[in-house]
Amino acid sequence: MIFAKSGDVDFIQKIKNSNLSGFVHSIFHRTFNFQCLEDGELYTVACNEIDNAPNTLVIDVDCFDRMDLKIKDTIYVENQILHIANKLSIHIVNVEQWESKLPLLPNNIERLKDHLAFMKNYIDLHGKSGGIKKAPIFHTSFEKEMSKLLQERTGLLLNDLANNRMTSALQHAESLIGLGSGLTPSGDDFLVGILTILNTNSGFTNKSFCEEVVKKAKSLTNEISYMAIKKASIGKVRESLIQLIHSLINGTEEDLILSLNKVLNIGSSSGTDIALGLVCGLEAKIKAGGRL
């Protein structure tokens, strides 16, 4: 018997309503995912070192290595308790409910521009290379070619977004889906950052662009990466990304460093790739005069 510490408000409500069943999809050191039979989406159970995120429940354990979880283990809810086969029972009594909510960008962007310049320089110095951030050396011709493609395609996407050419921007976004190595390819992580920024204004005008990116991603990348893109397309992202945007808008330089480091530590190069997507999305939005 284990207690949940915090979790996505919609996930918790599904447990309360006993409207959740499925099977274990994938297992990692600090998280495991299960596929919900009711809506087809992936849900994540995370250990206590992971930040809140969409479709995620954070529980009071350090890791999942010793729980004997297996792919296809049955997931079900009974009496508001989430069960994973006969191996794990998760109670939601006194769980802290969390909701993904992005801040709106300010009308006066001078401070934001200063923080953005600082963030770009910090990523250049401390970000992890090998994805969107170019590696200093390449060990194989494949790595060199992959890096070249990422540089070219992200540049084309940024240029089209800045000039509000959304039809060709969609083509370049599609060319990034699934591009790169790792569980969540660098191109996908970059798009998560871009889609996040597109959702940070009150007069959201590019809903159709976001929806089309999701449609393209369905068949072009893996299910875990697809879910991140799907959620980012409607402004639902993990807590550390939201805090980073808050720091960019209202925080001190120290706040920005603290929140940026949390993002940069996500995955291998995933955090850096997402952060660079945020940077490029903000640059495009500023160049477009806020029209994005």
Side-chain angles (χ1 to χ4, degrees), residues 2-292:
I2 292 174
F3 288 90
K5 295 177 62 179
S6 61
D8 176 65
V9 61
D10 293 331
F11 190 168
I12 292 169
Q13 194 58 48
K14 283 180 177 290
I15 296 174
K16 288 182 176 180
N17 294 340
S18 296
N19 185 30
L20 197 66
S21 63
F23 57 89
V24 174
H25 173 276
S26 45
I27 306 165
F28 305 97
H29 176 61
R30 297 190 298 172
T31 63
F32 70 85
N33 301 308
F34 68 85
Q35 189 145 35
C36 175
L37 295 177
E38 284 73 23
D39 61 18
E41 292 195 352
L42 291 185
Y43 287 76
T44 301
V45 178
C47 77
N48 50 29
E49 294 180 4
I50 304 296
D51 57 322
N52 288 305
N55 285 19
T56 297
L57 193 67
V58 180
I59 68 174
D60 195 19
V61 299
D62 296 325
C63 69
F64 296 105
D65 295 345
R66 296 179 297 276
M67 293 190 181
D68 194 35
L69 300 177
K70 303 292 184 185
I71 304 298
K72 298 293 185 182
D73 274 351
T74 302
I75 305 289
Y76 64 98
V77 173
E78 193 172 76
N79 298 324
Q80 299 189 7
I81 300 171
L82 181 67
H83 297 276
I84 297 84
N86 60 348
K87 302 171 182 178
L88 182 61
S89 297
I90 302 171
H91 292 243
I92 58 170
V93 178
N94 298 323
V95 64
E96 179 183 344
Q97 299 192 42
W98 173 84
E99 185 175 6
S100 176
K101 189 174 182 180
L102 290 171
L104 298 179
L105 296 183
N107 291 324
N108 187 340
I109 61 170
E110 293 309 309
R111 184 180 189 184
L112 175 61
K113 288 167 71 175
D114 289 341
H115 277 176
L116 184 59
F118 178 86
M119 179 172 164
K120 287 177 66 177
N121 184 62
Y122 193 90
I123 294 172
D124 189 51
L125 292 173
H126 303 288
K128 298 174 185 177
S129 59
I132 303 299
K133 182 185 176 185
K134 190 176 180 180
I137 58 172
F138 300 109
H139 299 289
T140 66
S141 57
F142 175 80
E143 288 179 359
K144 184 177 181 180
E145 181 61 23
M146 183 65 70
S147 178
K148 178 184 175 183
L149 290 173
L150 285 168
Q151 297 297 316
E152 289 176 349
R153 294 178 185 183
T154 54
L156 289 168
L157 175 58
L158 174 59
N159 186 52
D160 278 339
L161 288 174
N163 290 284
N164 210 26
R165 297 191 294 259
M166 303 311 292
T167 300
S168 53
L170 178 60
Q171 294 174 350
H172 296 309
E174 181 181 0
S175 74
L176 284 167
I177 299 170
L179 187 64
S181 58
L183 179 63
T184 54
S186 294
D188 295 358
D189 289 328
F190 182 82
L191 287 173
V192 166
I194 292 286
L195 294 170
T196 300
I197 294 302
L198 290 180
N199 279 273
T200 54
N201 62 343
S202 54
F204 185 46
T205 58
N206 285 300
K207 183 179 179 180
S208 61
F209 173 84
C210 294
E211 289 173 345
E212 287 301 316
V213 171
V214 173
K215 288 179 183 177
K216 302 292 185 184
K218 180 67 174 175
S219 61
L220 293 175
T221 192
N222 65 71
E223 289 179 290
I224 294 173
S225 199
Y226 166 73
M227 279 304 303
I229 290 173
K230 181 180 180 180
K231 291 301 180 181
S233 75
I234 54 174
K236 292 185 178 294
V237 294
R238 59 196 297 170
E239 189 174 23
S240 53
L241 297 187
I242 296 172
Q243 185 55 52
L244 175 55
I245 297 171
H246 274 294
S247 296
L248 275 166
I249 297 171
N250 297 312
T252 64
E253 194 171 282
E254 183 180 21
D255 294 331
L256 183 54
I257 291 172
L258 287 171
S259 52
L260 181 52
N261 279 334
K262 288 180 181 178
V263 173
L264 295 180
N265 285 327
I266 296 171
S268 179
S269 68
S270 286
T272 298
D273 297 333
I274 295 171
L276 287 171
L278 294 176
V279 166
C280 289
L282 283 167
E283 287 184 331
K285 188 180 281 285
I286 290 169
K287 288 177 183 177
R291 289 174 294 153
L292 285 177

